[in-house]
């Protein structure tokens, strides 16, 4: 079958996207639609003494102006964080209250205090400007190292010293002993820069209240519509779960930013009830910079010890993480359970200890962004080992090889049991593809032109498909981490797959169809994927953390198992054969070794006409399944980046970027490579271009594409992508997940390459030309002395 | 309010609109041609790129009233029965993921191929990357977009 597993099937969804027929949230328009515009704080920290909407209410087109006191008065609950973290002293995390519309205080620039509902978007925006808010400014703390200082301004009353939790993982005493015994200890202070996810489609929501049915419908840019419905009903009290339909139609990229429930969705739902109108809100890009959850923002001090042979004896990490002004849905899990358990990297390290302290600041909330915790861990581990290799005068590839995990399953001292891999082989593949052997000659040639060449590695591992639910629950997760699927074989033999995974660019409509086409040996065109609508799909946990392959597809496989069992029974009954002799192949269901056969569609028809089913069999051919994985899957890879730096300007060009990765079984190589390209581009963006900047007053200095540097085509090279497949034993397809690998693995490869080129390790992300130029000058004594 | 008449995707249209109406709003809200996307508010991202009188223009940078009498082509009007070679090339080369920047990328791609062909210049991958300065994609890393445009250039 040409459209089955392992084939680069062209995407079924492309036709609507390339012809302008995609339907994103803002493309929908309801009858009786009004528009929302939010009144947002221009102060990073202030007491709200009063809101005067008199003038705004009298302006053209204005239907109503609603504020936080009305919202809380109607019983709308505070925004929650869904993962409870316990500090090492046993105390629960200090979660400050977050109302969708602020009442007493605002805590970041962009914090919403009121919403204007008007007939047109322009009228709503103009009236929002006319709402007068009486603020009394409070002292601001915008940077995490300031937030933890004695006497720092207090952001939430219940978080003394602005600390949210002080958490640890691993054995500190054993790690200290490992470091004490080390022949060499590498110490590194490292910053993971704050980023804005920037999916190209801005967030949008349309809420419709039907007063006759007391029913709500929400169109929203969500990666997980069922979770949105659950949280909106169970925690925010905007509508009962059975009276709320959430639809996430075509979604223009997520990257984590669309996992969470934001104030705007809550407010639009509530406002639709208050005004009895459909209420639409669409973010503009400036608003997105102000309100979409940011990512990363860690400061870390770490030590890694080595014995005389270069074997790692201990790894000790002290991280301070900025979680912004409020705790977003998954924010607490990112610097803890998505971060510290990855500190073993691809290495067999016996002693690891990771301490994480998180703090509030007067900035937009920080939450998971592509990779979520794993990029931060990988950046640290891979910068550390590269630095150590240079300090010890070793080849960085050789130091990695000496420490690689060699056998699987492998239990790390930080919770994880790695499933399968072949780290030496993958590194070798990358080295060959990158022509590492020829690098020194290329370096010399570049030097002859006055340019500095560098080569940097990153051999990374990540954990995908968060699992299992029981373990996650024991660690504080507020949700289960299974996925659901329904496989409907129609009476004409075509198949609909209803999945709780959500596609926002990953190509599920093609890859999910491929696994079905493979299983039942029918054309991929005969399979339709349904997702993103809580009224259609029974339940789902959505798409994030590269879970659609290892968890979402596995649920489909489990449902297909049930369908196949029934197909066998029907065919065996009809063809008067044993179930074990039935084979499903070439569009037919046949008895092996005979000419007895039914066409695939005849089985579907037989199930629905039900004229001749085995006694007691239910009619129909449709099965559902929930799949809860036994463990994470662990994609890994080796990235090699080669750069050339102009020492006069600091301008850095990526000459070649090579990836060799192991995503387990690959369903569609074309799509997998596309995911790698995109992830690597985001990683290069973090390494060289992107950074969210707040000034000391908490004003956002990077509030548009004029000042936040998004990677453009000319910033990117072509990527050389290699694959090696070691299937995961933790799910039926052996898939591991590929969506985040690039963003996880690329930053250290780039920075390791640039620091190799310029001969100094003192370089923080983003390595802009100015930053590189400064690093070169500070490293070069004759210049610095001038 | 001003009456604006223009030809959009081959059809004459006429609407009474506020003077501040952007071409992007005119297309999306007045004509319900939602294939033209809005990804930013500073004319940086290019998701709204359309053709005006045969040249690529960011629809969020042009006032509708200033385009009275113009001939506008949007992504919906690019295909003439069969898909345009640029649309086919994006599918063939996996030049899109979420699809949000795609209409703008395709309209920019068609324009650059047309210009380079008219001038007899070779549209190299470096030139494509340079020409895509005004279009941002967050999904593809541009690798396959560049390949798509190269592929279409050979077939247009």
């Amino acid at each position: 079958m040409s459209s089955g597993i392992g084939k680069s099937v062209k995407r079924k969804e492309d036709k609507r996207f390339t012809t302008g027929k995609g339907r994103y949230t803002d493309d929908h328009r309801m009858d009786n639609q009004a528009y929302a515009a939010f009144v947002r704080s221009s102060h990073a920290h202030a007491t709200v003494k009063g809101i005067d909407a008199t003038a705004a209410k009298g302006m053209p087109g204005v239907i109503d102006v609603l504020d936080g006191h009305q919202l809380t008065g109607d019983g709308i609950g505070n925004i929650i964080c869904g993962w409870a973290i316990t500090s090492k002293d046993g105390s629960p995390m200090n979660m400050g209250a977050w109302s969708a519309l602020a009442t007493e205080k605002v805590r970041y620039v962009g914090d919403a205090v009121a919403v204007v509902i008007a007939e047109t978007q322009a009228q709503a925006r103009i009236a929002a400007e006319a709402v007068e808010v009486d603020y009394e400014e409070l002292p601001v703390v915008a940077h995490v190292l300031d937030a933890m200082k004695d006497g720092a301004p207090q952001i939430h009353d219940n978080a003394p010293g602005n600390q949210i939790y002080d958490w640890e993982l691993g054995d500190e005493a054993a790690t200290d002993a490992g470091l004490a015994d080390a022949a060499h200890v590498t110490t590194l202070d490292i910053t993971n820069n704050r980023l804005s996810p920037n999916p190209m489609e801005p967030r949008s929501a349309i809420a419709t209240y039907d007063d006759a049915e007391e029913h709500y419908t929400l169109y929203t840019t969500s990666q997980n519509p069922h979770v949105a419905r659950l949280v909106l009903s169970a925690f925010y009290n905007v509508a009962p779960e059975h009276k709320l339909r959430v639809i996430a139609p075509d979604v223009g990229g997520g990257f984590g930013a669309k996992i969470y429930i934001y104030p705007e969705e809550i407010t639009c739902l509530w406002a639709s009830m208050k005004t009895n109108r459909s209420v639409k809100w669409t973010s503009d890009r400036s608003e997105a910079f102000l309100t979409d959850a940011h990512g990363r923002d860690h400061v870390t001090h770490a030590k890694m010890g080595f014995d005389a042979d270069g074997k790692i004896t201990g790894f000790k990490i002290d991280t301070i993480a900025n979680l912004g002004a409020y705790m977003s849905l998954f924010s607490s899990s990112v610097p803890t359970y998505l971060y510290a358990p990855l500190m073993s990297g691809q290495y067999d390290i016996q002693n690891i200890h990771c301490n994480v302290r998180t703090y509030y600041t007067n900035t937009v909330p920080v939450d998971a962004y592509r990779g979520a915790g794993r990029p931060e861990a990988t950046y640290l581990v891979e910068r550390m080992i590269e630095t150590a290799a240079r300090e010890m005068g070793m080849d960085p590839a050789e130091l990695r090889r000496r420490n690689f995990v060699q056998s699987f399953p492998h239990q790390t001292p930080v919770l994880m049991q790695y499933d399968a891999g072949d780290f030496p082989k993958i590194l070798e593949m990358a080295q060959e593809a990158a022509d590492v052997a020829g690098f020194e000659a290329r370096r010399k040639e570049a030097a002859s032109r006055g340019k500095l060449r560098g080569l940097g590695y990153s051999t990374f591992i990540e954990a995908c498909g968060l699992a299992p639910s029981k373990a996650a629950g024991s660690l504080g997760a507020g949700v289960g981490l299974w996925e659901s699927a329904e496989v409907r074989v129609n009476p004409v033999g075509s198949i609909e797959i209803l999945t709780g995974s959500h596609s926002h660019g990953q190509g599920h409509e093609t890859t999910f169809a491929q696994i079905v086409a493979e299983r039942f040996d029918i054309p991929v065109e005969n399979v339709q994927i349904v997702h993103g609508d809580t009224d259609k799909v029974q339940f789902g946990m959505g798409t994030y953390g590269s879970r659609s392959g290892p968890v979402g597809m596995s649920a489909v496989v489990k449902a297909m198992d049930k369908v196949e069992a029934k197909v066998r029974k029907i065919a065996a009954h009809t063809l008067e054969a044993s179930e074990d002799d039935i084979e499903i192949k070439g569009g037919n269901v046949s008895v092996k070794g005979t000419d007895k056969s039914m066409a695939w569609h005849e089985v579907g028809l037989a199930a629905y006409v039900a004229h001749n089913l085995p006694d007691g069999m239910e009619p129909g051919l449709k099965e559902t399944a929930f799949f809860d994985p036994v463990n994470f899957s662990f994609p890994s890879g080796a990235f090699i980046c080669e750069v050339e730096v102009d020492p006069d300007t600091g301008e850095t060009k990526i000459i070649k970027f090579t990836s060799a990765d192991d995503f387990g079984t690959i369903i569609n190589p074309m799509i997998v490579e596309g995911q790698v390209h995109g992830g690597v581009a985001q990683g290069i963006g973090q390494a060289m271009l992107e950074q969210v900047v707040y000034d000391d007053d908490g004003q956002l200095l990077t509030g548009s594409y004029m000042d936040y540097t998004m990677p453009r085509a000319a910033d990117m090279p072509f990527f050389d992508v290699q694959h090696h497949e070691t299937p995961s034993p933790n799910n039926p397809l052996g898939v591991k997940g590929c969506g985040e690998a690039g963003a996880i693995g690329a930053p250290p490869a780039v920075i390791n390459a640039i620091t190799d080129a310029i001969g100094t390790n003192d370089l923080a992300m983003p390595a802009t030309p100015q930053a590189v130029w400064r690093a070169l000058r500070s490293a070069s004594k004759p210049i610095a002395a001038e | 309010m001003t009456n604006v008449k223009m030809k959009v995707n081959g059809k004459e249209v006429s609407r009474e609109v506020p003077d501040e109406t952007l071409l992007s709003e005119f297309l999306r809200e007045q004509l319900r041609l939602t294939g033209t996307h809005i990804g930013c508010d500073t004319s940086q991202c290019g998701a709204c790129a359309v053709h005006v009188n045969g040249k690529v223009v960011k629809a969020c940078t042009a006032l509708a009233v200033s385009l009275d009498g113009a001939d506008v082509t949007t992504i919906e009007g690019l295909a003439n029965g069969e898909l345009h070679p640029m649309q086919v090339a994006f599918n063939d080369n996996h030049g899109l993921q979420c699809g949000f920047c795609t209409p703008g990328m395709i309209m920019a791609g068609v324009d650059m191929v047309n210009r380079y062909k008219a001038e007899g210049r070779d549209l190299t991958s470096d030139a494509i990357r340079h020409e895509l300065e005004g279009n941002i994609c967050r999904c593809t890393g541009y690798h396959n977009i560049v390949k798509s445009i190269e592929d279409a250039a050979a077939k247009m």
Side-chain angles (χ1 to χ4, degrees), chain A residues 723-774:
Chain A
H723 306 295
H724 179 72
E725 300 182 30
T726 61
S728 172
N730 294 336
N731 61 69
L733 290 168
V735 298
K736 291 181 176 173
C738 63
E740 300 158 302
I744 291 169
V750 173
I751 298 299
N752 286 340
I754 300 174
T755 52
D756 180 49
I758 64 178
T760 169
N761 213 33
D762 189 17
L763 179 70
M765 298 191 289
T768 60
Q770 191 195 41
V772 173
W773 183 83
R774 282 178 183 277

Side-chain angles (χ1 to χ4, degrees), chain A residues 618-664:
Chain A
E618 276 182 39
L621 194 50
K622 147 181 124 52
E623 299 288 347
T624 65
F626 286 67
F627 178 80
D628 196 355
V630 295
N631 193 357
F632 290 83
S633 62
F634 293 89
S636 65
F639 288 175
I640 299 175
C641 180
E642 186 168 333
V643 299
E644 191 168 288
V645 177
D646 182 335
D648 294 332
T649 63
E651 192 183 356
T652 303
K653 193 166 174 52
I654 295 179
I655 305 297
K656 188 169 168 65
F657 197 100
T658 307
S659 99
D661 42 55
D662 179 357
F663 300 131

Side-chain angles (χ1 to χ4, degrees), chain A residues 509-593:
Chain A
E509 290 169 42
T510 306
T511 51
F512 278 57
Q514 282 179 257
I515 64 171
V516 179
E518 172 88 16
R519 180 65 168 270
F520 297 129
D521 208 10
I522 60 171
V524 75
E525 293 75 23
N526 293 5
V527 185
Q528 180 76 19
I529 306 302
V530 179
H531 71 105
D533 185 340
T534 59
D535 264 17
K536 292 182 179 169
V537 178
Q538 57 177 358
F539 212 92
M541 298 307 296
T543 292
Y544 45 86
S546 294
R547 67 191 304 279
S548 292
V551 193
M553 284 182 175
S554 297
V556 176
V557 169
K558 214 175 148 188
M560 288 196 295
D561 289 345
K562 296 182 186 176
V563 166
E564 183 181 331
K566 191 162 181 180
V567 165
R568 286 179 178 279
K569 281 193 170 67
I570 294 171
H573 175 76
T574 309
L575 301 173
E576 296 176 331
S578 158
E579 280 174 46
D580 295 339
D581 291 336
I582 298 294
E583 70 177 352
I584 303 170
K585 201 173 166 186
N588 293 308
V589 182
S590 314
V591 183
K592 268 184 234 165

Side-chain angles (χ1 to χ4, degrees), chain A residues 2-86:
Chain A
S2 62
S3 55
I5 291 172
K7 304 294 191 303
S8 288
V9 176
K10 287 177 198 167
R11 295 205 321 174
K12 287 151 66 87
E13 47 267 76
D14 285 1
K15 188 168 181 187
R16 70 176 188 275
F17 294 139
T18 57
T19 56
K21 299 287 169 55
R23 282 293 170 269
Y24 303 87
T25 297
D26 189 62
D27 298 333
H28 290 83
R29 183 157 67 179
M30 304 300 144
D31 292 339
N32 204 24
Q33 180 173 290
Y35 293 82
F38 286 83
V39 180
R40 298 191 181 280
S41 173
S42 52
H43 301 291
H45 200 192
T47 302
V48 181
K49 298 181 73 180
I51 297 171
D52 183 356
T54 315
K57 282 182 178 171
M59 292 178 73
V62 173
I63 297 161
D64 207 347
V65 181
L66 302 165
D67 67 24
H69 291 287
Q70 291 166 281
L71 180 105
T72 53
D74 281 353
I76 306 298
N78 284 326
I79 298 171
I80 56 150
C81 175
W83 197 306
I85 299 296
T86 305

Side-chain angles (χ1 to χ4, degrees), chain B residues 56-77:
Chain B
V56 73
V57 162
K58 288 180 177 174
C60 73
T61 338
L63 291 168
V65 296
S66 71
L67 296 173
D68 198 44
D71 188 345
V72 175
T73 304
T74 72
I75 188 72
E76 289 94 338

Side-chain angles (χ1 to χ4, degrees), chain A residues 479-504:
Chain A
V479 289
L481 295 162
W482 42 264
E483 194 47 83
S484 98
E486 181 175 330
V487 175
R488 290 182 187 165
V489 182
N490 295 319
V492 293
S494 62
I495 298 181
E496 290 166 274
I497 301 297
L498 293 85
T499 170
S501 297
H502 185 276
S503 182
H504 28 278

